[in-house]
Amino acid sequence: QKEVEQDPGPLSVPEGAIVSLNCTYSNSAFQYFMWYRQYSRKGPELLMYTYSSGNKEDGRFTAQVDKSSKYISLFIRDSQPSDSATYLCAMEDGGATNKLIFGTGTLLAVQP
Amino acid sequence: DTAVSQTPKYLVTQMGNDKSIKCEQNLGHDTMYWYKQDSKKFLKIMFSYNNKELIINETVPNRFSPKSPDKAHLNLHINSLELGDSAVYFCASSRENTGELFFGEGSRLTVL
């Protein structure tokens, strides 16, 4: 079993839909949780960064962490065609090595 | 002005050859990384350096040798290339002890 599990999709939604992307993990030592967005043929870029459990909102994006269930989510409101990309969750235990463990990524397509 | 730049972007070579990928960051970060992304988009850390010192070495074959001449540069040399080495290699950097990684655009290696 991988440390971080993520449904690879693809996920196709109409423009304006609310998108929910999820990851589960097995290592209870993870404390920092991130979502990266990767456009085709580009490097990943950080979208959201959260510490421990709770919600964090940034514009149309909301990141949610439930440490008791070992489950994290990214919600995208009013999705746009420009949101079409692969979304990768990542997490780390906050140790000295700063080692991120990534999910396999979910490919999202927002149809105009 | 590119923050993390890596060269070459594309590399096509024969099995058994030796090749290098170069990476430079102008963000003033202390930590640099090499990640490998396979055909299924799975992103896995290979190495990390902090101020030219090797921090993470993730059970990578010793055909892969990173080298950090200074904290702004991290190069990757690969000896005796194999078919399984075909992937996209991403360089990244971060401030010390943060999971906010800044990625380059990737170097797509194809071994024939």
Side-chain angles (χ1 to χ4, degrees):
Chain A
Q1 185 193 4
K2 287 184 179 167
E3 276 190 285
V4 179
E5 299 277 1
Q6 186 175 5
D7 186 338
L11 181 62
S12 182
V13 301
E15 185 175 351
I18 297 175
V19 175
S20 171
L21 304 166
N22 311 295
C23 287
T24 58
Y25 62 95
S26 56
N27 187 347
S28 56
F30 288 143
Q31 297 186 59
Y32 297 89
F33 303 90
M34 288 136 270
W35 286 95
Y36 281 80
R37 178 176 61 195
Q38 185 176 20
Y39 290 115
S40 180
R41 304 252 168 191
K42 297 288 186 184
E45 56 178 339
L46 183 67
L47 202 54
M48 299 288 279
Y49 188 113
T50 54
Y51 170 68
S52 198
S53 285
N55 291 0
K56 182 175 182 180
E57 191 173 317
D58 184 0
R60 295 184 296 108
F61 299 89
T62 300
Q64 205 169 70
V65 174
D66 181 349
K67 287 189 73 180
S68 61
S69 304
K70 297 194 183 71
Y71 188 89
I72 70 169
S73 301
L74 177 71
F75 298 96
I76 308 174
R77 287 183 298 283
D78 187 24
S79 55
Q80 304 295 308
S82 58
D83 295 328
S84 299
T86 296
Y87 290 80
L88 301 127
C89 63
M91 42 201 82
E92 62 159 328
D93 60 11
T97 62
N98 225 37
K99 178 180 164 182
L100 289 192
I101 306 297
F102 281 85
T104 48
T106 299
L107 178 61
L108 172 67
V110 181
Q111 307 297 334
Chain B
D1 196 21
T2 308
V4 181
S5 59
Q6 44 183 120
T7 54
K9 285 190 174 177
Y10 298 95
L11 202 49
V12 181
T13 189
Q14 300 286 332
M15 262 194 335
N17 283 352
D18 303 338
K19 289 293 176 187
S20 292
I21 308 171
K22 295 187 175 182
C23 179
E24 176 182 2
Q25 54 96 2
N26 62 7
L27 297 166
H29 289 163
D30 294 314
T31 309
M32 295 186 72
Y33 311 79
W34 278 110
Y35 277 82
K36 179 180 179 181
Q37 189 170 48
D38 63 22
S39 56
K40 294 183 180 177
K41 292 283 195 176
F42 183 54
L43 199 59
K44 191 174 189 321
I45 191 165
M46 299 173 69
F47 303 102
S48 78
Y49 272 75
N50 183 268
N51 274 317
K52 303 193 296 176
E53 183 184 342
L54 180 66
I55 302 297
I56 295 174
N57 182 343
E58 278 289 299
T59 58
V60 177
N62 57 16
R63 298 183 296 103
F64 291 78
S65 50
K67 189 165 284 186
S68 182
D70 56 60
K71 73 174 195 175
H73 295 84
L74 181 62
N75 304 322
L76 183 66
H77 187 76
I78 316 170
N79 288 329
S80 305
L81 279 156
E82 300 178 357
L83 292 176
D85 298 332
S86 296
V88 182
Y89 292 85
F90 285 100
C91 177
S93 72
S94 72
R95 289 191 303 274
E96 197 169 348
N97 294 329
T98 139
E100 185 178 2
L101 270 57
F102 290 78
F103 283 86
E105 296 216 330
S107 296
R108 185 174 295 271
L109 172 65
T110 303
V111 182
L112 304 174

